[in-house]
Amino acid sequence: MNKGKWMKALCAFFMVAVLFSVMPNLHVEATMSELKFDFGSGSVESGYIGVSASESYSQTKGYGFNTPENMLNVTASGTGEASDAVQFLTYGTKSTNTFNVDLPNGLYEIKVTLGNTARASVAAEGVYQIINMTGNSAADKFQIPITDGQLNILVTEGKAGTAFTLSALKIRKLSDTPVTNRTIYIGGDSTVCNYYPLDSSVQAGWGQLFPDFISAKTFQVRNMASGGQIARGFRNDGQLEAILKYIKPGDYFILQLGINDTNPKNNTTEAEFKEIMRDMVGQVIATGATVVLSTPQGRATDFNSEGVHTSVNRWYRHATLALAQEENVPLVDLNVLSSAYFTSIGPIATSALYMTGDSLHPNRQGAAELARIVAEDLQKQGLDGFSIDE
């Protein structure tokens, strides 16, 4: 980095450091509380702090890599702060190969921009924060409470053999209170999960579009669904762990699985599926949060000879219905609700809501319709926070 760019980055850091550290009791407004890091060995974007892979953490600076020997500077195909990146050579949600930033305790919004990667997840504080970001320069954000004075973040597994890279990080303080805003957590599979870019992807999951149908003043949405997921995987491989770390009374957990569990390769009987789901329901209920079970929609082709769409025997639906009744938790029977909608618009219009040549996965318009159906059913059930007036 040349002298002029270094001085500019240093000045930017000290200005923000004053706001974050010298006046810890001051309630900092959003426009005055943003730290921005530009990773890699290339030029540093204006207003950002440049961070090379070799830059180790120090208390004096208040930021840096915990184990820089496990980091690598790499190029990236984006522009501006996304034109270069660092690659994490060791990773995993429990890895100590993290980028550390000293922060006063409080609630923060973290925006992450990846470098070049096919699929990667983001972890912080030992758990997943974002699941399976896909494509070069993919960007997303999340809320996180800081209670120990430091953010520890890394990019980790999304797909084996993929480079896990980070181009930029923006940190914005939301509150002095280290508690997440009221949250709807969503668990599911490829019909539910996020696709990138979030605001323009052709394919989408209904969890991705769900924020469009609820009040942003009442809830934030954390979509923890992932493609190909089964109940056992969601429970055992880190997604449920991340939810349990933060979920609290007043929050919701909407859980929709079953499609991949029915695939023989996953070796899960309906009885086993039901008990794994029951275990997850019980763990979340124990936190004081509310669980909502949902059944998956059917295929675009599930029309009978009378033009009625029906798929009531698919995806272990009956186990989900029985579990909701046995555990006394709300149920969104999206399977039946979506079939009623598909019947009303007919086979041709229904096919137009799915990816071309694909009878299972909704496109963006289809995901929006499914999200609308879920939100409207929660409103009809009168669940707290979903009222049209709220």
Side-chain angles (χ1 to χ4, degrees):
M1 185 187 302
N2 63 41
K3 185 176 180 180
K5 289 178 179 176
W6 167 248
M7 291 301 295
K8 183 186 294 185
L10 191 62
C11 288
F13 170 71
F14 281 125
M15 288 176 66
V16 180
V18 169
L19 291 170
F20 271 74
S21 303
V22 177
M23 298 180 289
N25 296 320
L26 176 66
H27 179 72
V28 183
E29 297 298 327
T31 56
M32 299 173 60
S33 61
E34 190 169 64
L35 272 171
K36 299 191 292 186
F37 295 97
D38 182 351
F39 296 95
S41 59
S43 60
V44 179
E45 191 72 2
S46 177
Y48 284 72
I49 300 168
V51 183
S52 171
S54 62
E55 194 153 359
S56 62
Y57 168 80
S58 73
Q59 288 184 333
T60 302
K61 289 183 303 186
Y63 67 89
F65 291 103
N66 194 48
T67 52
E69 62 272 19
N70 295 322
M71 300 301 303
L72 181 68
N73 288 318
V74 293
T75 59
S77 57
T79 59
E81 69 273 17
S83 63
D84 57 352
V86 291
Q87 181 179 345
F88 292 80
L89 300 180
T90 62
Y91 40 84
T93 58
K94 311 305 180 189
S95 173
T96 60
N97 187 33
T98 54
F99 179 67
N100 301 337
V101 185
D102 292 338
L103 298 169
N105 289 347
L107 180 66
Y108 291 84
E109 178 184 87
I110 311 298
K111 182 177 180 181
V112 175
T113 302
L114 302 185
N116 289 5
T117 185
R119 187 190 306 163
S121 297
V122 176
E125 313 311 311
V127 297
Y128 285 117
Q129 301 291 338
I130 305 173
I131 300 295
N132 288 357
M133 297 172 69
T134 53
N136 298 341
S137 302
D140 205 345
K141 59 187 178 182
F142 60 93
Q143 284 186 12
I144 187 168
I146 299 297
T147 59
D148 61 359
Q150 190 176 79
L151 171 70
N152 312 106
I153 189 169
L154 78 158
V155 182
T156 185
E157 295 99 328
K159 182 179 181 180
T162 297
F164 305 127
T165 60
L166 177 63
S167 277
L169 193 66
K170 293 182 180 179
I171 302 172
R172 183 167 67 94
K173 192 173 187 182
L174 301 177
S175 170
D176 292 331
T177 304
V179 178
T180 54
N181 294 342
R182 197 173 181 194
T183 305
I184 300 169
Y185 296 90
I186 300 177
D189 52 38
S190 58
T191 66
V192 184
C193 70
N194 288 346
Y195 295 83
Y196 295 81
L198 290 172
D199 59 354
S200 61
S201 63
V202 175
Q203 185 172 354
W206 68 254
Q208 178 180 343
L209 278 296
F210 195 65
D212 293 345
F213 299 92
I214 61 169
S215 170
K217 294 179 180 179
T218 305
F219 295 113
Q220 67 153 337
V221 174
R222 295 290 298 275
N223 189 6
M224 303 299 287
S226 60
Q229 191 56 279
I230 61 175
R232 185 184 298 108
F234 195 92
R235 182 187 66 178
N236 296 350
D237 297 340
Q239 285 152 290
L240 182 65
E241 177 192 22
I243 293 169
L244 291 173
K245 184 177 178 70
Y246 300 113
I247 199 166
K248 59 191 181 301
D251 289 349
Y252 287 91
F253 176 38
I254 304 176
L255 180 59
Q256 177 184 299
L257 289 166
I259 292 177
N260 297 299
D261 297 85
T262 63
N263 190 320
K265 73 176 184 179
N266 289 314
N267 194 31
T268 305
T269 67
E270 188 163 7
E272 290 170 335
F273 167 77
K274 183 179 179 183
E275 291 313 306
I276 296 169
M277 293 283 281
R278 189 193 305 277
D279 182 34
M280 288 193 281
V281 168
Q283 290 190 61
V284 174
I285 287 176
T287 70
T290 299
V291 177
V292 177
L293 293 177
S294 175
T295 59
Q297 86 283 353
R299 292 185 176 274
T301 51
D302 285 336
F303 281 87
N304 62 24
S305 58
E306 286 77 38
V308 175
H309 189 279
T310 180
S311 56
V312 292
N313 294 319
R314 285 195 183 275
W315 320 138
Y316 290 163
R317 170 179 172 268
H318 299 296
T320 301
L321 265 62
L323 179 61
Q325 184 175 25
E326 291 165 12
E327 297 298 325
N328 193 30
V329 298
L331 171 76
V332 175
D333 197 353
L334 182 59
N335 183 287
V336 169
L337 294 171
S338 62
S339 283
Y341 175 67
F342 296 153
T343 298
S344 73
I345 63 175
I348 295 176
T350 295
S351 292
L353 298 177
Y354 285 74
M355 295 296 291
T356 302
D358 185 342
S359 66
L360 178 60
H361 296 98
N363 57 27
R364 194 174 190 88
Q365 182 182 357
E369 293 294 351
L370 294 172
R372 174 188 60 79
I373 292 169
V374 173
E376 288 180 354
D377 194 58
L378 294 172
Q379 289 174 1
K380 290 177 181 177
Q381 293 189 45
L383 295 183
D384 180 57
F386 292 96
S387 168
I388 296 175
D389 298 329
E390 292 182 274

